[in-house]
Amino acid sequence: MAEDTVKQDIHSRKSHDRKLAGSPGPFPFARMADKMDALDRLELQFRWGDYGIRVLRCHLAVFSPGQIINFHKHSEYEFHYIPKGKGKVILVDQAYDLHEGLFYMTGPDMVHYQESDPDDPMHELCLHLDIVPLGGDRQGENWGDGLEASEARECISSLDRIPAIPVVDRFHAMNGFLEAYRTWEEQPSGFYTLMKQAIVQILLRTTRVFDNPNDKPGIPERDMNFHRYMLATQYIQDNESLPISLEQVAETINISPRQLQRIFRSEGQTTFRDYLEHVRLTGICSELIHTDKPIEEIAINHGYANPNYLYPVFKGKYEVTPTAYRRMHTGEARGTFKSIN
């Protein structure tokens, strides 16, 4: 019985959506007609690169047959996408026919006129943005902020070069409206970030139609040898207290042991064995100076399963035994500690 009720509810919802869309067939944006001004009511503004983006309007509008929106203009950017129906637009002094799948941009300060078909309603997804240049003094460029700022500048610059003519939404910018509306409906964790991503996707997919492949900057790529060296050394630092082998580390970063050994020589001017020994002995020296732990315990804590093996290795590098090293440096370290306090 409950299952029949659920099926009936689903069928009623689909019928309701189709009725709102003015068509007997399914219309993916019909759900936005339930509350057309839902996104307009949100206070949405965010930083993208060196620009502030303020969302003034983001909604589905339905023009009744023959409806006219007389000549007007905006000081901000306004994006118009036609997901269903047909009509006409006049951009400045040039008239164009509109139909499903087209989009065009008006503004800033572009005079335009809109009119739906005399016999059929026309649906329009409207995004109205205020885009404000902000200061470019930003921290964290090494974490990708510089790349994002560059992409934002390229996108906003492309907006100013978009021709005053309707074109096909080849990269499905319209889907961003549906993503934004679903986010409003579900209000998941990360709501603000998801809304920002939806608006940015609309902008990027819109301007992508006018991309010139010859003008595209190269995608940043890693120096893979150096990247693998950093992965390997970080793995060693994280696990130096455990038994570690060249083969184990190579498998972790998905290369052969021979290739990893070559990377240690080219990127670190050392060998895998020498680097591992260096990390372990550095940790041991620190514990000898700053703790009173027995040397055998320190040795085990840093990967020497047989503490007796530490003594010849340590003396070979520092020319003194661990006990003598502790005696030489403990007083100096404690004196430094007292002076800091």
Side-chain angles (χ1 to χ4, degrees), residues 27-326:
F27 177 50
F29 299 96
R31 64 194 303 161
M32 295 183 67
D34 285 341
K35 193 171 179 64
M36 289 188 176
D37 65 345
L39 302 182
D40 292 346
R41 291 174 174 269
L42 300 177
E43 183 62 42
L44 292 176
Q45 56 183 37
F46 54 86
R47 181 166 193 154
W48 184 35
D50 296 332
Y51 296 90
I53 309 292
R54 183 179 294 110
V55 181
L56 304 176
R57 304 179 74 188
C58 182
H59 62 246
L60 172 69
V62 181
F63 294 83
S64 57
Q67 182 175 346
I68 292 174
I69 306 296
N70 223 325
F71 285 100
H72 65 287
K73 64 179 181 178
H74 305 284
S75 58
E76 304 85 13
Y77 293 86
E78 188 173 20
F79 303 83
H80 312 256
Y81 306 83
I82 310 302
K84 189 179 182 65
K86 55 186 177 179
K88 182 176 72 172
V89 63
I90 300 176
L91 301 175
V92 187
D93 58 359
Q94 184 66 48
Y96 300 95
D97 290 330
L98 295 175
H99 58 77
E100 179 178 332
L102 295 182
F103 80 89
Y104 59 97
M105 189 188 81
T106 57
D109 298 322
M110 179 184 291
V111 176
H112 57 287
Y113 164 105
Q114 295 155 284
E115 180 181 330
S116 61
D117 184 82
D119 302 316
D120 296 310
M122 181 177 71
H123 294 67
E124 177 187 275
L125 294 163
C126 173
L127 178 64
H128 193 173
L129 301 178
D130 187 13
I131 302 177
V132 182
L134 303 176
D137 184 16
R138 298 167 60 82
Q139 299 295 322
E141 295 295 319
N142 290 336
W143 294 96
D145 281 3
L147 295 174
E148 180 180 281
S150 175
E151 291 178 347
R153 283 194 300 270
E154 182 182 345
C155 180
I156 302 306
S157 176
S158 295
L159 294 182
D160 296 328
R161 300 194 302 270
I162 289 181
I165 182 173
V167 294
V168 176
D169 180 23
R170 291 171 49 213
F171 298 104
H172 310 291
M174 295 187 207
N175 290 347
F177 286 86
L178 208 51
E179 288 301 315
Y181 195 81
R182 284 173 178 155
T183 299
W184 171 79
E185 284 183 318
E186 299 167 6
Q187 299 191 15
S189 300
F191 176 88
Y192 172 83
T193 300
L194 292 170
M195 292 297 296
K196 172 183 175 178
Q197 290 173 341
I199 301 301
V200 168
Q201 279 295 310
I202 292 173
L203 294 179
L204 289 173
R205 294 186 179 195
T206 296
T207 57
R208 188 179 172 188
V209 174
F210 305 97
D211 277 354
N212 182 350
N214 297 325
D215 293 337
K216 300 300 291 181
I219 298 174
E221 294 186 359
R222 289 188 172 111
D223 178 338
M224 287 305 296
N225 277 350
F226 180 73
H227 178 62
R228 287 165 176 157
Y229 174 74
M230 296 301 292
L231 290 176
T233 54
Q234 186 63 58
Y235 185 87
I236 290 172
Q237 293 169 28
D238 293 342
N239 298 278
E240 52 95 7
S241 63
L242 305 172
I244 300 177
S245 67
L246 173 68
E247 291 74 19
Q248 176 186 345
V249 179
E251 182 180 4
T252 299
I253 59 177
N254 199 30
I255 61 175
S256 71
R258 180 177 295 182
Q259 186 179 359
L260 179 58
Q261 193 67 277
R262 286 199 300 267
I263 287 173
F264 267 93
R265 291 194 182 98
S266 65
E267 303 300 325
Q269 287 74 54
T270 185
T271 65
F272 172 84
R273 180 178 177 180
D274 287 346
Y275 184 84
L276 175 58
E277 184 177 276
H278 166 73
V279 171
R280 285 174 168 169
L281 291 179
T282 299
I284 288 171
C285 288
S286 178
E287 288 211 51
L288 287 172
I289 296 172
H290 297 102
T291 75
D292 295 325
K293 294 179 183 177
I295 293 173
E296 289 75 14
E297 181 183 344
I298 293 175
I300 292 173
N301 288 345
H302 292 276
Y304 289 92
N306 182 357
N308 292 328
Y309 182 62
L310 170 64
Y311 289 87
V313 173
F314 194 95
K315 190 169 184 179
K317 181 167 185 177
Y318 298 106
E319 299 183 347
V320 295
T321 65
T323 302
Y325 184 92
R326 169 176 270 173

